[in-house]
Amino acid sequence: MASFSFKLATSIRFGVGVIDELPDAVKKLKGTKPLLVADPSLRKAGLLNKLEEPLKKTGILYVLFEEVDPEPGLKLADRATEIARKNGCDCVIGAGGGSAMDIAKATAVLLTNKGKAVDYVGLNKVEKPGVPKIMVPTTAGTGSEVTFTAVFINEKTKSKGGINADFLYPELAILDPALTTSVPPLVTAYTGIDAFTHALEAFVSRAAQPFSDLWALEGIRLISGSLRRAYCQGDDLEARSDMLFGSLYGGLALATAGVGLVHAMAYPLGGLYRIPHGLANAVLLPYVMVYNLVGDLPKFATITEAMGEDVSHGSLREAAEIACEAARLLCADVGIPESLKDLNIPKKDIPKMAKIAMTVARPIANNPRTVTVDEVIALYEMAYEGLD
Ligand code: NAD
């Protein structure tokens, strides 16, 4: 067995109703005045109270920041930091999808490190630990509550990139499935396929190891078993719990083993056209799976099994191929568009997109099949035209 290391940096609290423990968590981390970065949809869905009431009841003064854009730009992290600094905040709570959580994570480290968010894009550029941070995911998608990454669009260059450093690992993740029942079907679909993609790409990653494999497979099993139900019956708490647990597993797996070509190819779609991260991944996933298949037939066959499909007949290759078809059907069943054409991506930009995708270094390096720029162009072209 190859050598490996792994780290569990984040305490995890999971269950319906655990959001009531938020004030105790703040106190335990010695926070006195949190910045509460909250997705604006929480107020609209009547969920913001679930965070505000317990804080108010226990007399914790907090500062509310609701200027959260989907696929946030770096400037939003600077703005949140400015407000937190002005108000003397000494800890940060991020409540929402990846967009809110990433703003919160970046703010926590910007409060103690000089400069602007743009200075820290890259790997291990953050010099000092931040203030304590608690993440409360309200979509079942990114797994950002347990990762060392905060992803932003650079407004100037229109490129997407992460602030990646161990200091970004949240101290605590509070996962309450009841906060996810209001997520609309299409967002449930694309965040759910995002989580599935994290688990799948981590499982076949060249940096995969025993711990990431365990989490990834369980994530694949939970998400492929419950996404359809969460999509069709948003108030089904059991399905929502499975999804939130699955996305947590996906986050743990990706933080350990990284992701692959789907993510590299999705980044330019976010940076250039602001296509939501999960949706970009979901449209590309079936095409990239077919391409990657030969890179690791045994692992793709194991994915087939984890998706609950029959692998008892046929060859290893046939078993592996079933995973691609099962993933394609899962995407189709939850209304994911079949092609980039459906997302109104200009076809003429494909070479530019491929060039950018090849610069997303770690996912390209982790991919189970070594890829060239021409192959990425061919994959985008296939994804543009669709399967018919
Ligand atoms: P998001 O945070 O943008 O949320 C998607 C939509 O769902 C938004 O319109 C939001 O308002 C709404 N929403 C959120 N919670 C809701 C609720 N409970 N009820 C109703 N509506 C709700 O999307 P996301 O996919 O969760 O996050 C995407 C961002 O995360 C991207 O910027 C992506 O690059 C980043 N990301 C980060 C990591 C990481 O490890 N840090 C990993 C993957 C992706």
Side-chain angles (χ1 to χ4, degrees), residues 271-308:
L272 295 172
Y273 317 108
R274 290 220 167 221
I275 303 293
H277 172 77
L279 182 57
N281 276 342
V283 174
L284 293 166
L285 176 72
Y287 303 93
V288 176
M289 277 181 82
V290 170
Y291 169 79
N292 273 341
L293 188 73
V294 291
D296 201 333
L297 288 177
K299 277 206 153 171
F300 274 93
T302 309
I303 290 169
T304 303
E305 225 176 337
M307 292 185 79

Side-chain angles (χ1 to χ4, degrees), residues 14 96-99 101 136-145 175-198 219 222-223 226-227 230-231 234 236-251 277-279:
F14 189 100
S99 302
M101 289 193 285
V136 183
T138 67
T139 62
T142 66
S144 174
E145 67 275 12
L175 297 100
D176 188 334
L179 297 178
T180 67
T181 53
S182 54
V183 179
L186 188 59
V187 180
T188 300
Y190 66 67
T191 51
I193 297 291
D194 184 30
F196 180 80
T197 307
H198 294 154
L222 283 167
I223 295 164
S226 292
L227 178 56
Y231 171 76
D236 184 327
L237 257 185
E238 205 181 307
R240 292 294 192 179
S241 295
D242 281 357
M243 287 304 299
L244 196 58
F245 208 177
S247 74
L248 168 67
Y249 278 131
H277 172 77
L279 182 57

Side-chain angles (χ1 to χ4, degrees), residues 109-353:
V109 293
L110 287 170
L111 279 172
T112 56
N113 289 271
K114 280 188 262 156
K116 301 270 184 210
V118 70
D119 304 329
Y120 297 102
V121 174
L123 185 60
N124 286 330
K125 293 192 174 165
V126 182
E127 284 170 12
K128 289 189 234 159
V131 300
K133 50 209 165 305
I134 300 170
M135 295 302 128
V136 183
T138 67
T139 62
T142 66
S144 174
E145 67 275 12
V146 289
T147 71
F148 59 92
T149 301
V151 186
F152 294 97
I153 292 176
N154 182 323
E155 297 90 340
K156 237 190 209 162
T157 61
K158 292 197 169 172
S159 62
K160 211 171 159 177
I163 301 177
N164 306 289
D166 279 359
F167 294 135
L168 268 83
Y169 277 117
E171 280 70 12
L172 175 67
I174 298 180
L175 297 100
D176 188 334
L179 297 178
T180 67
T181 53
S182 54
V183 179
L186 188 59
V187 180
T188 300
Y190 66 67
T191 51
I193 297 291
D194 184 30
F196 180 80
T197 307
H198 294 154
L200 187 138
E201 292 210 292
F203 188 61
V204 298
S205 165
R206 287 195 213 184
Q209 45 115 308
F211 285 104
S212 59
D213 280 358
L214 274 177
W215 294 322
L217 270 189
E218 192 55 12
I220 291 168
R221 191 186 69 75
L222 283 167
I223 295 164
S224 53
S226 292
L227 178 56
R228 289 176 177 90
R229 212 153 25 105
Y231 171 76
C232 293
Q233 297 156 29
D235 59 353
D236 184 327
L237 257 185
E238 205 181 307
R240 292 294 192 179
S241 295
D242 281 357
M243 287 304 299
L244 196 58
F245 208 177
S247 74
L248 168 67
Y249 278 131
L252 289 168
L254 94 85
T256 309
V259 284
L261 183 57
V262 177
H263 273 76
M265 290 178 64
Y267 263 39
L269 301 185
L272 295 172
Y273 317 108
R274 290 220 167 221
I275 303 293
H277 172 77
L279 182 57
N281 276 342
V283 174
L284 293 166
L285 176 72
Y287 303 93
V288 176
M289 277 181 82
V290 170
Y291 169 79
N292 273 341
L293 188 73
V294 291
D296 201 333
L297 288 177
K299 277 206 153 171
F300 274 93
T302 309
I303 290 169
T304 303
E305 225 176 337
M307 292 185 79
E309 302 289 333
D310 185 5
V311 288
S312 60
H313 308 291
S315 64
L316 176 67
R317 194 182 204 291
E318 281 161 341
E321 276 170 1
I322 297 171
C324 303
E325 180 57 9
R328 192 192 66 75
L329 276 179
L330 181 61
C331 291
D333 284 350
V334 297
I336 301 295
E338 208 181 78
S339 72
L340 293 180
K341 205 191 286 175
D342 298 327
L343 304 183
N344 296 319
I345 303 293
K347 194 176 181 190
K348 66 168 179 41
D349 284 1
I350 284 179
K352 176 165 82 176
M353 282 157 41

Side-chain angles (χ1 to χ4, degrees), residues 1-4 209-210:
M1 189 185 286
S3 73
F4 62 87
Q209 45 115 308

